[in-house]
Amino acid sequence: MKNIKKILALLLAAALVFALSACGSSNTSSEAEKTSLTVEDGKLIMATNATFPPYEFYEGEEIVGIDAEIAALIAQKLGLELEIADVEFGSIIPGVQSNKYDMGMAGMTVTDERKEKVNFSDTYAKGIQAVIVKEDSAIKSIDDLDGKKIGVQESTTGDIYATDDYGEENVTKYASGNLAVEGLKNGKVDCVIIDNEPAKAYVAANSGLKILETSYAEEDYAIAFNKDNTELQKKVNAALKELIADGSVQKIIDKYINAAE
Ligand code: ARG
């Protein structure tokens, strides 16, 4: 009888040890699954297209602008080192989907189509699609765009809207807004459809251009994340919320936009 009790006690102890170790190992394995928050430990890799003042553009060798500065503050809050990859606008979302980059931040408009591919942060800025024409242009409003040659930056919402509304054959897709504006100056296109703040920057930097009074479409800008990395999306949203609440985001926007007006 005593022996049986002993054996039972031993078995129970063994079972307990086993259960505990199983528990422990399941913990470590679930931790191992989400090894790191970002693609590269300690880094926050942001993909952008730095041809888009005042959101992202070069000042000498450095990428500066509203997005670059907000991203730097987000990285700081997350204890990560920000690294900016300057790529074609159309490669940002595919690169986020394939975990080449942690996030895409490029004055990127939230659209239903993009939402199928990536998750977006909360909105941090607004954009309006604007139309740039030559000062002496016959185009007076968007009602005059039918049949005109329209220049856009490839894969942007300007491209998508113009192609939908005026047909592929009327739209010339450029690698950057700058090149689209060059096309306008050279008479290759009759107008450029692009976000209003870069439009203002291009018009300021080039003589003989103006922006039509009528704007084309209103949009929200947000940061794109891989659909599987909701953890990073959450953390960035929390950081963004704090930076909006304490006025940091507004300060950056004022520095690049309002102050310049
Ligand atoms: N807001 C537009 C879009 O999301 C244009 C963004 C272009 N951004 C850039 N960094 N070039 O399609």
Side-chain angles (χ1 to χ4, degrees):
M1 194 58 183
K2 254 190 183 166
N3 268 344
I4 289 175
K5 266 194 180 163
K6 237 183 196 165
I7 288 166
L8 275 176
L10 272 173
L11 277 175
L12 205 79
L16 248 168
V17 166
F18 179 76
L20 279 175
S21 71
C23 207
S25 77
S26 90
N27 259 347
T28 42
S29 86
S30 79
E31 259 159 35
E33 273 161 29
K34 44 175 168 110
T35 38
S36 106
L37 179 66
T38 54
V39 175
E40 253 184 77
D41 255 337
K43 280 193 181 171
L44 181 67
I45 306 176
M46 152 186 166
T48 196
N49 171 260
T51 66
F52 203 68
Y55 293 95
E56 43 268 335
F57 58 101
Y58 280 90
E59 224 169 62
E61 301 276 279
E62 202 194 345
I63 296 174
V64 298
I66 294 170
D67 287 345
E69 288 206 21
I70 294 175
L73 293 184
I74 289 172
Q76 201 177 21
K77 280 206 184 280
L78 269 52
L80 299 168
E81 185 199 330
L82 179 69
E83 185 178 303
I84 302 182
D86 181 21
V87 301
E88 273 187 17
F89 186 74
S91 331
I92 297 175
I93 287 181
V96 166
Q97 284 181 289
S98 66
N99 280 318
K100 201 165 167 191
Y101 317 118
D102 294 305
M103 63 186 209
M105 191 172 188
M108 188 180 284
T109 305
V110 178
T111 70
D112 288 340
E113 218 185 13
R114 288 173 182 167
K115 271 195 205 158
E116 283 171 18
K117 298 177 180 158
V118 288
N119 285 342
F120 279 105
S121 70
D122 297 334
T123 302
Y124 64 90
K126 290 213 179 286
I128 301 170
Q129 290 299 308
V131 183
I132 311 175
V133 292
K134 279 190 177 166
E135 251 161 18
D136 57 0
S137 174
I139 301 173
K140 303 283 180 230
S141 81
I142 46 170
D143 302 330
D144 303 327
L145 289 186
D146 262 333
K148 293 290 189 303
K149 293 201 203 82
I150 302 169
V152 295
Q153 180 181 16
E154 182 152 32
S155 303
T156 60
T157 46
D159 178 8
I160 297 160
Y161 300 148
T163 306
D164 278 357
D165 291 353
Y166 302 100
E168 194 88 50
E169 66 281 8
N170 292 312
V171 179
T172 307
K173 298 163 197 263
Y174 293 92
S176 70
N178 297 304
L179 290 173
V181 168
E182 282 310 307
L184 174 62
K185 285 171 49 180
N186 299 335
K188 301 248 189 295
V189 293
D190 302 309
C191 67
V192 170
I193 298 182
I194 197 152
D195 305 48
N196 59 329
E197 289 303 332
K200 283 190 214 160
Y202 296 139
V203 168
N206 295 278
S207 58
L209 303 179
K210 65 173 184 187
I211 298 169
L212 291 187
E213 289 291 325
T214 43
S215 51
Y216 193 58
E218 293 198 20
E219 322 187 307
D220 290 323
Y221 292 167
I223 309 170
F225 301 96
N226 187 289
K227 285 237 181 228
D228 295 330
N229 201 349
T230 48
E231 194 57 33
L232 181 63
Q233 180 195 20
K234 258 192 244 156
K235 291 204 159 133
V236 169
N237 265 339
L240 199 53
K241 211 178 202 152
E242 287 174 22
L243 293 168
I244 291 172
D246 73 7
S248 304
V249 166
Q250 194 55 50
K251 214 166 153 189
I252 294 170
I253 293 176
D254 286 346
K255 169 176 166 189
Y256 284 97
I257 299 181
N258 306 343
E261 274 166 8

